[in-house]
DNA sequence: CCTTGACCCTGTAGTTGCTACAGGGTGCAT
DNA sequence: ATGCACCCTGTAGCAACTACAGGGTCAAGG
């Protein structure tokens, strides 16, 4: 299939596919006489792996390692587990951070009683962390 | 004070301070005879406002509007409220997304029983969204 | 007086993961 | 033959910094 169809079936953007090829995440496909990229099932499933991993929040470098493992089925899968677990930990950390942020923001917004900017407690609170209760960042 | 001291007292990076000046978020300070930037209390508190707002996750453009309001105390503060509330909503949305992600990741990781990469359920699950239970992205 | 070191300056390029052109070529239908 | 959809390369842009390279300035110590 041509790049447009690959994009359609995987949900990836055409430019993204070419980008992945450029950074070596996808192998260079064969070319037709007119220099068009020609893809097969192996490309499709590799791209699906990449897109799904990206949707799950893995970085390109993590995906590179995961693909490498996927290309070497005889290796131990411990590395995959380590990457995924460390990613999960980062997600959990990020959630905890955002929850602190959310609480602090809600508290700050709650202080506004309307009126003039000069009297606004929201603007005041943005100017100085001392009005914060938590340690958001 | 010179830029290094301003950086120390606000916790901002020197390069970041110059960057903020370049994009017009901080006003150009006076210069000494040796062309060194010289800051006063007004600069300090404006930078504190910017850094605190960034720590709270506001974008530069949002901060630009908030600073504008802070510079015009006679205006209505409704705009500040709108910006903060919409930001809070985005944070809440992001948290919800990450929670879906976290659950899906935890489930995927739980499938791994160790062994060879070729048999790894984690790698399998990354390759195809059909092994997912939620709609993480 | 000279050097060392800490500071400051400008300007540019790199980071992450794409996305959006500009300026061209190809292939098929009418 | 002419339109149109599709493909190609190469480059630049986004956010919000961060990291140099290659220079200038200034006070203290030898
Ligand atoms: Zn208010
Ligand atoms: Zn705070
Ligand atoms: Zn496994
Ligand atoms: Zn999935």
């Amino acid at each position: 299939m041509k790049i447009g169809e690959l994009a359609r079936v995987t949900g990836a953007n055409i430019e993204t596919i070419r980008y992945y090829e450029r950074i070596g995440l996808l192998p260079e496909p064969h070319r037709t006489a007119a220099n068009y990229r020609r893809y097969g099932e192996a490309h499709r499933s590799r791209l699906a792996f990449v897109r799904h991993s990206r949707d799950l929040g893995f970085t390109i470098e993590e995906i590179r390692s995961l693909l490498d493992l996927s290309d070497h089925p005889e290796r131990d899968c411990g590395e995959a587990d380590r990457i995924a677990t460390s990613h999960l930990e980062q997600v959990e950390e990020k959630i905890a951070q955002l929850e602190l942020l959310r609480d602090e923001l809600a508290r700050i917004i709650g202080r506004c009683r309307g009126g003039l900017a000069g009297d606004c407690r929201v603007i005041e609170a943005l100017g100085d962390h001392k009005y914060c209760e938590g340690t958001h960042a």
Side-chain angles (χ1 to χ4, degrees), chain A:
Chain A
M1 63 188 122
K2 285 186 278 173
I3 198 168
E5 198 188 337
L6 181 63
R8 261 190 306 280
V9 300
T10 58
N13 192 315
I14 289 180
E15 326 266 41
T16 304
I17 296 173
R18 288 198 280 246
Y19 168 70
Y20 287 160
E21 181 185 326
R22 204 159 58 241
I23 64 172
L25 213 53
L26 298 183
E28 296 186 16
H30 288 123
R31 299 289 185 128
T32 68
N35 201 31
Y36 287 12
R37 287 171 180 81
R38 185 62 41 141
Y39 297 97
E41 165 56 21
H43 292 102
R44 204 229 88 242
S45 82
R46 197 174 177 91
L47 178 54
F49 186 102
V50 172
R51 283 311 312 161
H52 193 221
S53 300
R54 284 292 300 130
D55 287 344
L56 288 165
F58 290 95
T59 67
I60 298 283
E61 288 316 306
E62 286 166 341
I63 295 171
R64 225 185 268 280
S65 304
L66 291 166
L67 278 172
D68 194 48
L69 225 57
S70 163
D71 289 339
H72 294 90
E74 77 286 2
R75 292 206 198 137
D76 190 279
C77 80
E79 179 65 9
D81 195 51
R82 236 167 291 131
I83 292 172
T85 300
S86 129
H87 179 50
L88 173 56
E89 277 162 16
Q90 281 178 51
V91 170
E92 279 168 346
E93 209 175 301
K94 187 78 193 173
I95 289 172
Q97 262 179 38
L98 287 179
E99 280 170 344
L100 287 178
L101 214 61
R102 177 197 57 196
D103 295 347
E104 205 61 60
L105 277 170
R107 231 184 36 76
I108 288 173
I109 290 168
R111 289 163 46 107
C112 178
R113 298 276 163 264
L116 300 185
D119 306 323
C120 180
R121 304 299 207 125
V122 169
I123 289 171
E124 181 187 52
L126 291 176
D128 203 325
H129 181 57
K130 83 178 176 215
Y131 298 109
C132 284
E133 257 156 39
T135 51
H136 51 77

